[in-house]
Amino acid sequence: MEALLDTIAPILAATLRVATPLILAALAGLFAERSGVVDVGLEGKMLAGAFAAAATATVTGSVWYGLGAAIGAASLLALLHAFACVTLRGNQVVSGMAINVLAAGLTATLALAWFRQGGQTPALPADARFPALPLPGAEWIAEIPLLGRLLVTVIGGHTAPVYIAFALVPVAAFLLWRTRFGLRLRACGENPAAVDSAGISVAKLRYAGVLIAGVLCGMAGATISTAQGAAFSTDMTAGRGFIALAALIVAKWRPWPVLWTCLAFGLLDALAIRLQGVPVFGVTVPVQAMQAVPYVLTVVLLAGFVGRAIPPRAAGVPYVKER
Amino acid sequence: MSLRPLPRWADLVLLPVLNLVLALLVSAIVVVAAGQSPAAALQALLVGSFGSWDSVGFTLFYATDMAFAGLAVAIAFKCGLFNIGAEGQAALGGLGLALVMLWLDASLPAGIVVPLAILAGAGFGAAWGAVPGWLQARRGSHVVITTIMFNFIAASLMVYLLVNVLIEPGNMAPETRRFAVGLSPLSDFGFPGRSPVNLALPLALVAALAVWVLVWRTPWGYGLRVVGSNPDAADYAGIDQGRRIVAAMAISGALAAGIAVNQILGSQDKLILNFTGGAGFTGIAVALMGRNHPVGVLLAALLFGALAQGGAELAFEMPELPRETVLVVQGLVILFTGALGGLLRAPLARLFAARA
């Protein structure tokens, strides 16, 4: 029993770590798409955030300045997205893809030009990264029979972004479903004409949704380069923005299911690394098959073969005020 | 906001050129931010892409990729679909043609096996495009999200197959054995210089012509455009939207497989990982810039082919700028011609209205 727990605990701890940027990015997508703006540019905004965080932490030596810069960089791209989608009523998918390509080019160019290390930022010293935080009362919790040590290993010793991400899930749920702002934001994604006829600006609310997405993507990017990693490297987000998009869809655009889905995807990822070439019940599952699960699941759910994921009704449609 | 539409020449020539200039100007700011001279970078880009027969050949080689990708995105656009999956469709196309080559290249003459392989590649690409099309037409899932997911599924599948199944025994790198035959390079027909530009280039030109005839000169293509521009009218006219959508995505996927023909049959002579080099995504920029018309797509393909080749030379000439610098130009072109299209259009329309 003890041995089993000792095998499981690190996997579960890794799950929480891997899930953190996914949760932040998926919540980002939640705010944007609930306001009626499709966001396939999560990846690019995360990448910009990852670079800004690592670059700023390198120069200033402060991880918190890094986080601020990440939020700033990602928010700038979000502002661009909002300007294209809301003000100019451009194609939202095109804008998102443009931001992905642009961010890939910008971060690689500036990383090489500013730091001259082949597209990487210098390795951050320990005090310029997010440190692992000790769990308060860990020694007492560890005393609990059987589960004590498991709990300490799984939920203790993570970096600040991990706890922030998990705390943001109830915040997002409250904001979107229990406040006037949230009601109006969601209404923009379902029936913007109704919001407009109540005398409330659809454009402002959509800007708000997209900008909140920018802030969250920045945090996700900073997590990747300054909490999980210790430097920026070219294309380091490696498609996590799209996994977050998949999680958002599988979660049917709801905050708590976003958490569970991201945890499930995180667990898959953590397992895929550990089960490489290890037979389970006599079968060796290819790593690639496990990596493909989130994408396959998204396709299946969107197609309504098992349950059905229905996007916000007005998502992707620019709102034209009646005259 | 009922401005008169722009004159045709302004819409087709002036606007894309202005958008390109704008993209280059913003890129110049990025180059300055990187501490480099934009003039020197532009010169390296131009010399690198057109300075010698070798570089012209490489530019045309990359332009072939871009032409196939742009045509793929454009024909889907014409049917009102945004195909982000050219990358995955090209990968599957590579798988299809590699399977035929590995199976038959020793037993059949090149004149038979190469066309067969191209057909198989097109078929695999078409299938990988048709499934998202079918899911949109019959199950209501949006083709954008489905094709994004299909790209990743394709990538996982290709890694699995190349690492575990198709790898040449004894080879450390995940690639198949060399094929016995392939598409001839154009240098065999007197094209000067040393470059991998090959028979896939004329094939791309034929594909562009075929797309033009199909979409603009046949009743079927008319129906396709009706579905794309006014679905209600299509319903009223009794056009089966679902069938057009599935067909458009299948053709789109088959065209995307042209990237594999150019890269795998024309240059590599073996199946490798990530041979598309992002061309599938560049196809979005090509189609937007080319206004989804075959002629425009070919011109834009030449531009982006030159950027791809020039970018590689740029990284060589100016080691402080990586190859990815051209992605900045590319992203900005997508932004200005696609999402921020209204930025220049409205002032330009006002300008023309004032003059008229």
Side-chain angles (χ1 to χ4, degrees), chain B residues 31-49:
Chain B
V31 171
V32 170
Q36 304 301 315
S37 150
L42 187 63
Q43 196 195 352
L45 211 58
L46 283 174
V47 172
S49 51

Side-chain angles (χ1 to χ4, degrees), chain A residues 3-312:
Chain A
L4 184 66
L5 287 180
D6 283 345
T7 329
I8 294 175
I11 296 181
L12 294 182
T15 300
L16 298 197
R17 274 196 302 277
V18 176
T20 296
L22 297 182
I23 294 170
L24 290 167
L27 286 179
L30 180 69
F31 275 95
E33 302 213 343
R34 275 289 175 183
S35 81
V37 180
V38 166
D39 200 345
V40 297
L42 298 173
E43 175 83 0
K45 289 192 287 255
M46 273 165 91
L47 192 61
F51 171 67
T56 310
T58 300
V59 175
T60 64
S62 158
V63 70
W64 293 103
Y65 286 156
L67 179 64
I71 290 174
S75 300
L76 273 180
L77 289 180
L79 200 61
L80 185 64
H81 189 52
F83 179 66
C85 299
V86 181
T87 306
L88 292 178
R89 295 189 217 111
N91 184 318
Q92 303 178 355
V93 176
V94 172
S95 170
M97 289 308 290
I99 284 169
N100 288 337
V101 178
L102 189 61
L106 273 178
T107 53
T109 304
L110 296 180
L112 181 68
W114 289 350
F115 298 101
R116 303 285 163 92
Q117 295 190 1
Q120 297 215 332
T121 59
L124 289 167
D127 58 351
R129 301 178 50 201
F130 282 104
L133 301 174
L135 187 68
E139 54 277 21
W140 295 340
I141 297 171
E143 293 295 307
I144 304 170
L146 280 181
L147 290 179
R149 267 180 43 215
L150 183 73
L151 271 177
V152 171
T153 321
V154 175
I155 63 171
H158 289 293
T159 54
V162 177
Y163 299 114
I164 295 173
F166 280 83
L168 279 176
V169 175
V171 172
F174 179 82
L175 203 59
L176 281 170
W177 266 268
R178 293 280 179 273
T179 67
R180 196 158 57 176
F181 167 75
L183 179 67
R184 288 171 175 176
L185 191 85
R186 285 184 295 123
C188 281
E190 300 290 340
N191 190 347
V195 179
D196 199 16
S197 59
I200 303 156
S201 165
V202 174
K204 271 187 197 157
L205 280 164
R206 286 191 169 174
Y207 260 89
V210 173
L211 276 176
I212 293 173
V215 170
L216 290 168
C217 281
M219 292 167 69
T223 305
I224 291 171
S225 66
T226 58
Q228 294 181 348
F232 170 84
S233 58
T234 305
D235 197 27
M236 85 178 305
T237 47
R240 267 173 280 207
F242 293 107
I243 298 199
L245 195 63
L248 177 65
I249 294 166
V250 173
K252 304 180 181 176
W253 291 268
R254 284 159 195 281
W256 286 105
V258 159
L259 176 64
W260 312 133
T261 314
C262 289
L263 282 173
F265 288 1
L267 178 65
L268 267 175
D269 203 21
L271 279 177
I273 296 162
R274 278 181 179 64
L275 289 184
Q276 214 152 7
V278 182
V280 183
F281 304 118
V283 191
T284 313
V285 184
V287 192
Q288 293 84 11
M290 295 181 74
Q291 284 165 345
V293 167
Y295 311 119
V296 175
L297 201 58
T298 305
V299 170
V300 169
L301 278 175
L302 266 181
F305 292 124
V306 189
R308 187 177 254 298
I310 301 166

